[in-house]
Amino acid sequence: MTGEGSHDFARVRRIVKTDEFSSVFRLRPVQKTAHFVLYTRPNDLPHARLGVVAAKRFAPRAVTRNTIKRITRELFRTTPLPGIDCIVRLARPVNAKDGPATTAALKTLLRTELARLFASQAPRPRKPAPAPAPDSSGRQPS
């Protein structure tokens, strides 16, 4: 099972190798939010692939890091994306060790930021080309 054309998160939809991460990181960030940075690179596959980097220094608790990854994967699965490799990197601290690991407000904030990142990469519907204007004789040009 390749997972193509479905809303799963099979291995073919993940960026797992170090050199794959490196090739995407070499490019400039596409978009930034308050806590995340999105890197993308076109791939030759019929589907998008995802990598998530949540460093311990920005999310000291494993519960928080796992929540970030879970929300990211969920939004990735449900957002239609073209054939690109996406890496979402946590770039700023989301909470400290002295507060709660996750809260409803934190989850809502993360979901909003990540949805904005993925929406920026979704394929845009193309506008139909305007019909050519008839010439002076009233005929449509061919």
Side-chain angles (χ1 to χ4, degrees):
M1 173 147 177
T2 62
E4 294 177 9
S6 65
H7 293 293
D8 63 1
F9 196 59
R11 188 168 178 90
V12 295
R13 294 190 178 272
R14 297 183 219 154
I15 299 174
V16 291
K17 296 180 181 174
T18 304
D19 62 331
E20 293 171 341
F21 271 94
S22 298
S23 68
V24 179
F25 274 134
R26 268 184 283 218
L27 303 173
R28 295 180 64 75
V30 174
Q31 187 157 356
K32 297 177 183 181
T33 63
H35 295 100
F36 297 99
V37 177
L38 176 68
Y39 297 85
T40 62
R41 179 188 69 139
N43 66 27
D44 296 329
L45 302 171
H47 54 81
R49 296 189 309 165
L50 175 69
V52 182
V53 179
K56 211 183 262 191
R57 69 181 178 160
F58 297 132
R61 294 187 179 167
V63 174
T64 308
R65 292 190 304 276
N66 290 336
T67 299
I68 290 167
K69 292 185 240 182
R70 191 176 306 115
I71 292 170
T72 304
R73 288 190 303 260
E74 174 191 339
L75 289 169
F76 175 79
R77 282 191 303 259
T78 58
T79 305
L81 294 170
I84 57 174
D85 289 343
C86 300
I87 294 181
V88 175
R89 181 174 61 89
L90 182 63
R92 291 196 174 73
V94 292
N95 63 5
K97 280 189 177 180
D98 56 350
T102 59
T103 61
L106 177 64
K107 288 180 184 179
T108 303
L109 173 70
L110 298 175
R111 188 178 306 277
T112 303
E113 285 188 36
L114 290 165
R116 190 177 319 131
L117 285 177
F118 287 131
S120 72
Q121 299 305 306
R124 306 239 190 296
R126 292 187 177 174
K127 294 180 181 177
D135 61 8
S136 61
S137 66
R139 287 191 268 171
Q140 292 285 337
S142 54

